[in-house]
């Protein structure tokens, strides 16, 4: 599929929406079991996925690209679905939702300080980190419901990263902004690895390996945002598990 125009992305998002509707939700009835440290981690990620996306949509509208603005709305809807899935997963495990978390408040405020370009660069950091986190959650547990929910979200995130990169390629990003972005990515990734360290350890991933994996992704290396190749859209099989990471126990 040619993903050079945002009309293509609209069709991609709409096709995924139709597929989700046809597949329906996972079976929540059996419940879910995870170590307490992992549940606490999922609670914080659920807060991070939640939100109405009004700020991003407003900036997308101001960009004077109707196709991109429409695609951005569809992206926000997928993020809201992630929050819904994680909320239902927590409910299936008998774990309450968090009303808020300070780290998410800081991240959202940082995104809202500037225009669309900076918002997307900051948002891209969260998406790149999410790729590794949801893979760890998918592969690090034997609970079928947790595996299913993590796999669904991961498949979406694998599309979201190139979507943001496609927009950022239209911006003039110099060497200094890209260097600053990579420094911020490194700092945020280290923070996440420390903050979620107990959960990552229970999922079989060392903190250092988590950081290294995030920084090794093409988007993490900041190549695709500079228009120098790299992260492209990959069709994602939602129910096929790739080989699990084995860095740590």
């Amino acid at each position: 599929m040619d993903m050079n125009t945002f009309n293509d992305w609209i069709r991609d998002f709409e096709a995924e929406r139709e597929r989700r509707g046809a597949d329906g939700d996972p079976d929540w009835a059996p419940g879910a079991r995870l170590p307490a440290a992992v549940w606490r981690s999922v609670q914080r990620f659920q807060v991070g996925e939640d939100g109405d996306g009004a700020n991003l949509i407003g900036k997308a509208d101001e960009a004077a690209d109707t196709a991109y603005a429409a695609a951005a709305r569809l992206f926000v809807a997928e993020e809201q679905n992630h929050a819904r899935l994680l909320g239902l997963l927590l409910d299936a495990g008998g774990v309450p939702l968090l009303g808020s978390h300070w780290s998410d408040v800081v991240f959202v405020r940082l995104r809202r300080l500037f225009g669309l370009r900076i918002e997307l660069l900051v948002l891209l950091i969260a998406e790149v980190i999410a790729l590794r986190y949801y893979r760890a959650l998918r592969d690090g547990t034997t609970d079928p419901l947790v595996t299913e929910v993590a796999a669904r979200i991961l498949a979406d995130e694998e599309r979201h990263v190139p979507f943001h990169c496609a927009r950022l390629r239209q911006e003039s990003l110099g060497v200094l902004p890209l260097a600053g972005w990579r420094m911020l990515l490194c700092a945020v990734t280290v923070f996440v690895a420390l903050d979620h360290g107990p959960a990552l350890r229970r999922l079989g991933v060392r903190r250092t390996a988590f950081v290294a994996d995030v920084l090794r992704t093409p988007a993490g290396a900041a190549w695709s945002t500079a228009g120098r190749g790299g992260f492209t859209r990959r069709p994602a099989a939602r129910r096929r598990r790739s080989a699990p990471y084995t860095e740590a126990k």
Side-chain angles (χ1 to χ4, degrees):
M1 177 174 56
D2 180 7
M3 303 301 292
N4 292 329
T5 72
F6 288 106
N7 286 322
D8 291 326
W9 279 106
I10 291 173
R11 288 189 286 271
D12 182 73
F13 280 119
E14 288 177 340
E16 286 296 310
R17 182 178 60 190
E18 291 177 7
R19 186 207 54 74
R20 284 196 303 273
D23 286 355
D25 270 3
D27 182 7
W28 306 107
R33 294 173 178 81
L34 283 174
V38 181
W39 280 129
R40 288 192 293 271
S41 175
V42 172
Q43 282 179 309
R44 296 200 292 276
F45 263 80
Q46 194 277 334
V47 171
E49 296 278 9
D50 203 7
D52 61 10
N55 196 62
L56 174 62
I57 290 172
K59 292 175 182 177
D61 287 339
E62 293 171 359
D65 183 335
T66 56
Y68 173 68
R73 282 173 166 80
L74 293 166
F75 156 75
V76 169
E78 286 195 354
E79 290 291 298
Q80 291 171 338
N81 186 56
H82 295 174
R84 183 186 70 86
L85 289 173
L86 291 175
L88 290 170
L89 178 63
L90 288 165
D91 185 62
V95 180
L97 274 67
L98 296 179
S100 64
H101 190 265
W102 69 266
S103 59
D104 180 63
V105 172
V106 171
F107 207 71
V108 170
R109 287 182 178 176
L110 178 62
R111 283 170 43 196
R112 292 178 175 177
L113 283 175
F114 304 99
L116 179 62
R117 178 176 64 177
I118 300 301
E119 169 130 4
L120 290 180
L121 285 170
V122 176
L123 182 57
L124 184 61
I125 288 174
E127 301 281 21
V128 171
I129 292 172
L131 286 175
R132 185 62 185 96
Y133 177 81
Y134 287 116
R135 182 168 183 172
L137 187 62
R138 182 196 66 182
D139 294 343
T141 175
T142 58
D143 186 280
L145 183 56
V146 175
T147 298
E148 172 71 8
V149 170
R152 290 187 181 209
I153 296 175
L154 176 61
D156 286 343
E157 299 293 3
E158 288 175 339
R159 295 166 40 253
H160 291 176
V161 169
F163 170 63
H164 296 315
C165 288
R167 175 64 198 182
L168 285 167
R169 287 192 194 97
Q170 298 179 356
E171 303 287 340
S172 298
L173 299 177
V175 174
L176 288 179
L178 284 172
W181 179 84
R182 184 163 173 78
M183 290 175 62
L184 183 59
L185 171 66
C186 185
V188 174
T189 305
V190 169
F191 169 78
V192 171
L194 292 173
D195 191 37
H196 294 263
L200 293 173
R201 185 166 57 251
R202 296 302 298 267
L203 295 172
V205 181
R206 293 193 306 266
R207 291 182 175 99
T208 53
F210 181 87
V211 173
D213 285 345
V214 170
L215 297 182
R216 276 199 300 261
T217 64
W223 288 104
S224 36
T225 53
R228 289 175 276 188
F231 219 111
T232 57
R233 193 255 194 234
R234 292 184 298 163
R238 291 181 177 273
R239 288 165 177 73
R240 186 182 69 240
R241 293 180 63 170
S242 58
Y245 278 78
T246 57
E247 295 93 350
K249 297 258 179 145

